[in-house]
Amino acid sequence: MVQMNDIEKSFPGVKALDKCQFTLNKGEVHALVGENGAGKSTLMKVLTGVHQEDAGTIFFKGKKVKINSPRKAQELGISIIYQELNLMPHLTVAENVYIGREEKKNKLFIDKKKLNQKTKDFLKMLNINLDPQAKVKDLTVAKQQMVEIIKALSYQAEVLIMDEPTASLTDSEIEDLFRIVKKLRSEGVGVIYISHRLEELKEISDRITVMRNGNYIDTVATKDVEIDSIINMMVGREVYETSNNKSSKNENEVILEVKNLTRKGVFKNINFNLKKGEILGMSGLVGAGRTEVARAIFGADNIDAGEIYVHGKKVNISSPSQSVELGIGYLSEDRKRYGLALGRDVATNIVLANLKEYMNKFGFIKEDKIKQVAQNQVKQLAIKTPNLKQDVKNLSGGNQQKVVIGKWLDKDSEILIFDEPTRGIDVGAKNEIYKLLNSLVEEGKSVIMISSELPEILRMSHRILVMCEGEVTGELGIEEASKEKIMKFATMRN
Ligand SMILES: Nc1ncnc2c1ncn2[C@@H]1O[C@H](COP(=O)(O)OP(=O)(O)OP(=O)(O)O)[C@@H](O)[C@H]1O
Ligand SMILES: [Mg+2]
């Protein structure tokens, strides 16, 4: 179906692709892997006409083609689901799926009924529980991603590119997705599958292509390789796991306490505390209400009842700036919407939560200080950027995530809420972030970590809180916790 030969692409200061190769057969799932910034998304943007290659050739079904616009790619039958979601938040699910292709009644009015029905058929076929008339802005990231998938499928694509489709899905949602992908494959669709969740490659892919630092490394048949050797090809070095021998922090001082926190229709009677030096894991299925609780503590959403105590003192948090003053930092799961100023450079984003510190008494910005601090974070987190002046929107997805982390580290918050901190982060960098979380709590900070990945929750937490449908359904010390126990609480519907 697709053959890409010796593709090259440079951006100012970055050689993103250097003689890259890629082929896709009819009816195969071909995984594309590599560290953050390796060039995966860029290669796919060349294939979908978002970027033009500087050199190299592309063949589609044996014919040499010039894919000079996204429209051209679409006409060829190449569809992509981007890593960063691209939906119109104020439109409904159905309107997003059929945007620009709305069927008109009497050529004048959009036939909403028909759009809704067609979308409903797709949702039903894929077994997704979603209202076609729901507004996209009210959906979780996971649900929004499903809308993207349906949108791509609705184009009758012969080549479907998925850039980290499972990053924010729960295990059961991933199973659903895999069923869909396998079905598409059996119907002859070629699927290009980018993922950092390497353990899923064995199940879903037929071949794997590895990229490193803008270079093509190799393409192998999945059945012939071990994932460990894929990791070695990706990073070109050994990856060391952080240990997870932890002891409970039960004796420690309580830093944050939440009593009967309620937001009508979203979550109710949430009670828990967070101890000094502790990582409190928050587990549950997507939609359990974890992000909503975090947002309420951070002052981004109102509460209808309940109390929050910091260091034993009752506090009223009605805006994020108040909670930042109280020493609370929130790393959002949706970095595009809440975490970053995408049009600003790396340095500005890193100091963003802490701008006051960087002004002298006359209100002038201390540029040198900013540079120095930003440089430190870039080094500590191994953020891949040509320089500090690069706009964040030009960084690879994983590196954007690291910038958000850098921003909260700079603020030196005492309580950090990390919402899906390793989403879209490669294996090597994941370990770096785990190490970082461990060193933060060793310094005496306290962390709430929301994660949908059970291995991550089990490895990192001292204590685990499980939510289901807006309520806390269980609490487990790390000594007694297991995947099975967590899943039991996570599905304990009232
Ligand atoms: N529009 C752009 N302008 C400048 N540099 C860019 C642009 N797009 C990508 N880059 C750079 O090209 C390199 C490859 O980025 P790319 O997004 O392809 O990585 P990736 O493999 O998809 O990584 P991730 O796993 O983090 O998503 C990175 O160094 C990135 O900063
Ligand atoms: Mg990418």
Side-chain angles (χ1 to χ4, degrees):
M1 302 269 273
V2 175
Q3 185 172 352
M4 302 177 85
N5 292 344
D6 296 329
I7 304 294
E8 307 213 0
K9 178 74 194 171
S10 293
F11 298 108
V14 189
K15 182 131 201 179
L17 300 175
D18 192 359
K19 290 209 177 358
C20 285
Q21 325 293 338
F22 192 81
T23 62
L24 179 71
N25 300 329
K26 200 172 154 68
E28 80 161 335
V29 177
H30 192 153
L32 183 58
V33 303
E35 287 185 289
N36 296 132
K40 307 176 297 291
S41 296
T42 304
L43 188 65
M44 291 303 110
K45 283 178 183 164
V46 167
L47 183 58
T48 51
V50 175
H51 292 320
Q52 307 303 297
E53 65 276 16
D54 301 333
T57 41
I58 303 175
F59 295 88
F60 186 73
K61 292 186 179 167
K63 274 216 270 308
K64 192 168 162 185
V65 287
K66 193 92 202 133
I67 305 176
N68 44 23
S69 69
R71 161 148 284 172
K72 172 81 192 189
Q74 223 163 54
E75 281 166 14
L76 292 172
I78 303 174
S79 263
I80 181 163
I81 301 162
Y82 283 111
Q83 186 170 17
E84 299 296 329
L85 306 175
N86 269 306
L87 299 169
M88 300 289 167
H90 297 285
L91 299 183
T92 67
V93 170
E95 285 163 347
N96 268 285
V97 169
Y98 287 101
I99 198 160
R101 300 176 291 163
E102 299 90 347
E103 296 192 30
K104 304 222 167 110
K105 240 195 235 164
N106 314 322
K107 296 222 161 66
L108 266 178
F109 299 103
I110 293 175
D111 190 347
K112 288 210 167 146
K113 226 168 148 184
K114 198 155 175 199
L115 289 191
N116 287 334
Q117 191 51 50
K118 275 165 70 174
T119 306
K120 214 178 191 154
D121 292 344
F122 264 114
L123 289 164
K124 203 167 155 199
M125 175 183 108
L126 304 182
N127 205 359
I128 298 170
N129 182 14
L130 196 60
D131 177 5
Q133 301 187 64
K135 286 255 194 317
V136 159
K137 71 173 163 56
D138 299 327
L139 304 179
T140 58
V141 177
K143 288 273 165 63
Q144 290 184 24
Q145 203 152 22
M146 303 220 154
V147 179
E148 287 267 26
I149 291 169
I150 290 178
K151 183 173 166 185
L153 294 181
S154 74
Y155 277 95
Q156 307 281 323
E158 286 183 85
V159 172
L160 184 63
I161 304 162
M162 298 186 165
D163 198 344
E164 295 186 44
T166 57
S168 58
L169 304 188
T170 59
D171 289 350
S172 70
E173 288 166 326
I174 290 172
E175 273 171 36
D176 281 345
L177 177 73
F178 283 2
R179 248 202 336 267
I180 297 160
V181 170
K182 286 172 183 168
K183 188 166 168 213
L184 291 169
R185 170 171 66 185
S186 69
E187 283 167 18
V189 176
V191 178
I192 304 174
Y193 192 91
I194 300 179
S195 179
H196 287 295
R197 292 182 153 195
L198 301 177
E199 70 282 358
E200 62 189 30
L201 299 186
K202 274 282 180 197
E203 182 183 347
I204 197 65
S205 73
D206 302 301
R207 288 195 295 162
I208 303 172
T209 286
V210 182
M211 295 179 68
R212 182 166 77 228
N213 228 338
N215 292 292
Y216 169 80
I217 302 297
D218 202 1
T219 301
V220 291
T222 307
K223 62 175 175 23
D224 298 339
V225 288
E226 295 300 321
I227 293 304
D228 279 346
S229 66
I230 295 290
I231 294 175
N232 288 342
M233 281 156 78
M234 278 173 60
V235 299
R237 59 182 148 78
E238 300 273 334
V239 175
Y240 298 100
E241 301 251 309
T242 52
S243 66
N244 56 349
N245 39 8
K246 284 186 216 71
S247 52
S248 103
K249 304 280 167 187
N250 271 336
E251 309 302 312
N252 291 8
E253 179 200 352
V254 171
I255 297 288
L256 174 79
E257 183 160 23
V258 166
K259 286 188 183 161
N260 295 320
L261 213 63
T262 300
R263 180 171 159 85
K264 285 205 185 90
V266 184
F267 53 80
K268 74 171 182 214
N269 291 331
I270 306 293
N271 288 290
F272 68 87
N273 62 36
L274 174 70
K275 308 213 163 77
K276 192 176 167 72
E278 175 182 54
I279 298 179
L280 177 67
M282 265 180 129
S283 188
L285 303 177
V286 172
R290 296 165 300 164
T291 293
E292 289 73 9
V293 168
R295 284 176 54 85
I297 294 172
F298 188 59
D301 292 331
N302 293 331
I303 51 172
D304 295 315
E307 290 135 34
I308 299 171
Y309 298 80
V310 175
H311 284 293
K313 252 186 36 211
K314 189 170 167 207
V315 293
N316 274 315
I317 301 175
S318 56
S319 73
S321 60
Q322 284 174 352
S323 86
V324 171
E325 282 315 306
L326 288 165
I328 303 175
Y330 173 54
L331 189 125
S332 163
E333 66 172 331
D334 190 348
R335 55 189 174 245
K336 199 168 184 177
R337 255 199 294 183
Y338 307 111
L340 290 168
L342 287 168
R344 299 295 198 88
D345 62 30
V346 171
T348 307
N349 271 281
I350 286 174
V351 300
L352 208 59
N354 207 13
L355 264 183
K356 261 194 225 151
E357 297 288 310
Y358 297 97
M359 298 216 218
N360 66 19
K361 59 182 177 200
F362 307 111
F364 289 108
I365 305 271
K366 300 179 198 162
E367 295 279 358
D368 286 352
K369 178 91 187 296
I370 291 181
K371 233 166 115 180
Q372 184 199 336
V373 167
Q375 192 60 54
N376 273 343
Q377 296 296 357
V378 164
K379 200 168 151 213
Q380 182 186 358
L381 298 170
I383 298 172
K384 191 166 182 262
T385 175
N387 54 57
L388 297 173
K389 288 271 162 233
Q390 178 75 306
D391 280 354
V392 162
K393 65 169 184 289
N394 291 333
L395 297 189
S396 79
N399 282 295
Q400 291 185 2
Q401 179 76 337
K402 291 189 197 173
V403 172
V404 185
I405 296 177
K407 165 176 137 181
W408 290 112
L409 291 186
D410 177 51
K411 181 60 193 170
D412 207 17
S413 315
E414 194 181 13
I415 298 166
L416 286 158
I417 307 176
F418 286 87
D419 200 344
E420 306 286 357
T422 64
R423 189 177 145 205
I425 298 234
D426 70 52
V427 268
K430 227 175 196 174
N431 267 288
E432 296 304 316
I433 286 174
Y434 293 155
K435 266 194 243 159
L436 195 89
L437 287 179
N438 284 335
S439 68
L440 287 173
V441 295
E442 261 158 42
E443 280 167 30
K445 296 186 180 199
S446 306
V447 169
I448 297 175
M449 185 185 74
I450 301 175
S451 170
S452 297
E453 287 190 43
L454 287 180
E456 174 168 289
I457 283 274
L458 286 166
R459 173 167 167 188
M460 295 305 296
S461 314
H462 296 99
R463 196 155 52 99
I464 299 164
L465 212 62
V466 190
M467 284 185 69
C468 177
E469 295 187 338
E471 291 182 59
V472 173
T473 46
E475 187 186 316
L476 295 160
I478 193 61
E479 303 82 4
E480 48 168 341
S482 67
K483 277 191 184 181
E484 292 71 26
K485 282 185 189 161
I486 293 177
M487 281 317 289
K488 197 178 121 220
F489 287 130
T491 53
M492 205 182 250
R493 303 208 153 76
N494 225 333

